[in-house]
Amino acid sequence: MKTVSVESILKNAASRAGLDGSSIASLSTTTQTIMVDNLGMHLRDAWEFFDWPDLVRTELRTVQTGPDDDIYLSLEQPGETAMGEVFTVYRDNVNTHAAPREIAFTLDLDKIRLPSDCPDEIYVRFRLQPTELSATLATALAQTVPSILADYCKFSLTGDLLTEDGQLDKAQVMFARAEASLIKEMDKITFQQKQPRRWTASVGPY
């Protein structure tokens, strides 16, 4: 997955807003901190806007049994990829079945609740948890975000800076460009790269 550094996003946004973005040192520590904080919110919005292929996984998992024989699967397990939003739980391997059967489930805080007759192993399609930017500024600047979401973050941060400066009309233009960038990337995946969402079938108790 291609990524872009947080520092480069901040410098780009600053330059678009009329600030000196030639170097991160040209921005005050306060400005940098506020931009990183806002970036975290914008990144989550973009991350959850669409089921971006780079940010979605389908993995085989072994179900867990609770003290009352309830069947579940924790969203975070040692040695496994932490799950964000869960889209689908499958009985069949999605890579070998044209129409994998879905398993009904409910979400309960940090668990996926499953039916009592669920098989021991299941396939879960889920979104990766959004990148959490560090509270330490130097560390956050060195972190990266997915390239596919970078333009949205740049335009959104520019809009934030312009809003703070009272340039509301220009800020709205930036926010509109931010949303348009996401729609453009979504359309590219859906229509040009031809990656439609998988067709599934619910069968019996599953």
Side-chain angles (χ1 to χ4, degrees), residues 40 63 93 142 156 165 197:
V63 301
N93 186 340
S156 295
D165 193 46
R197 291 176 174 139

Side-chain angles (χ1 to χ4, degrees), residues 109-186:
L109 298 178
D110 59 349
K111 296 181 177 65
I112 304 172
R113 296 291 181 182
L114 298 159
S116 59
D117 50 2
C118 177
D120 293 337
E121 292 188 327
I122 58 176
Y123 294 86
V124 184
R125 183 173 183 268
F126 61 92
R127 176 184 285 127
L128 298 176
Q129 293 185 358
T131 298
E132 293 288 340
L133 299 182
S134 174
T136 303
L137 183 57
T139 302
L141 293 174
Q143 289 180 264
T144 61
V145 302
S147 296
I148 199 169
L149 309 180
D151 282 347
Y152 175 84
C153 292
K154 294 173 186 176
F155 291 133
S156 295
L157 286 178
T158 303
D160 292 336
L161 292 170
L162 292 172
T163 298
E164 291 296 323
D165 193 46
Q167 302 182 61
L168 301 184
D169 289 342
K170 291 183 178 180
Q172 288 305 311
V173 172
M174 289 296 104
F175 291 136
R177 291 185 67 180
E179 183 174 353
S181 71
L182 286 186
I183 294 174
K184 176 183 177 181
E185 293 296 343
M186 181 181 68

Side-chain angles (χ1 to χ4, degrees), residues 59-132:
E59 295 183 357
L60 176 66
R61 297 295 177 91
T62 301
V63 301
Q64 299 162 271
T65 303
D68 298 325
D69 291 331
D70 54 317
I71 307 300
Y72 69 95
L73 185 67
S74 296
L75 296 180
E76 294 189 15
Q77 297 174 287
E80 299 284 4
T81 306
M83 293 185 275
E85 286 80 11
V86 176
F87 298 117
T88 320
V89 177
Y90 298 106
R91 179 180 179 84
D92 307 308
N93 186 340
V94 297
N95 295 317
T96 58
H97 287 71
R101 293 167 293 176
E102 292 184 20
I103 298 174
F105 70 93
T106 57
L107 294 175
D108 181 11
L109 298 178
D110 59 349
K111 296 181 177 65
I112 304 172
R113 296 291 181 182
L114 298 159
S116 59
D117 50 2
C118 177
D120 293 337
E121 292 188 327
I122 58 176
Y123 294 86
V124 184
R125 183 173 183 268
F126 61 92
R127 176 184 285 127
L128 298 176
Q129 293 185 358
T131 298
E132 293 288 340

Side-chain angles (χ1 to χ4, degrees), residues 27-84:
L27 303 174
S28 69
T29 300
T30 299
T31 298
Q32 294 179 47
T33 301
I34 292 174
M35 291 181 73
V36 168
D37 186 56
N38 288 344
L39 175 58
M41 294 184 290
H42 294 313
L43 178 58
R44 177 176 288 274
D45 288 341
W47 197 285
E48 298 175 349
F49 181 81
F50 180 69
D51 47 343
W52 308 106
D54 283 345
L55 306 179
V56 173
R57 300 284 186 274
T58 300
E59 295 183 357
L60 176 66
R61 297 295 177 91
T62 301
V63 301
Q64 299 162 271
T65 303
D68 298 325
D69 291 331
D70 54 317
I71 307 300
Y72 69 95
L73 185 67
S74 296
L75 296 180
E76 294 189 15
Q77 297 174 287
E80 299 284 4
T81 306
M83 293 185 275

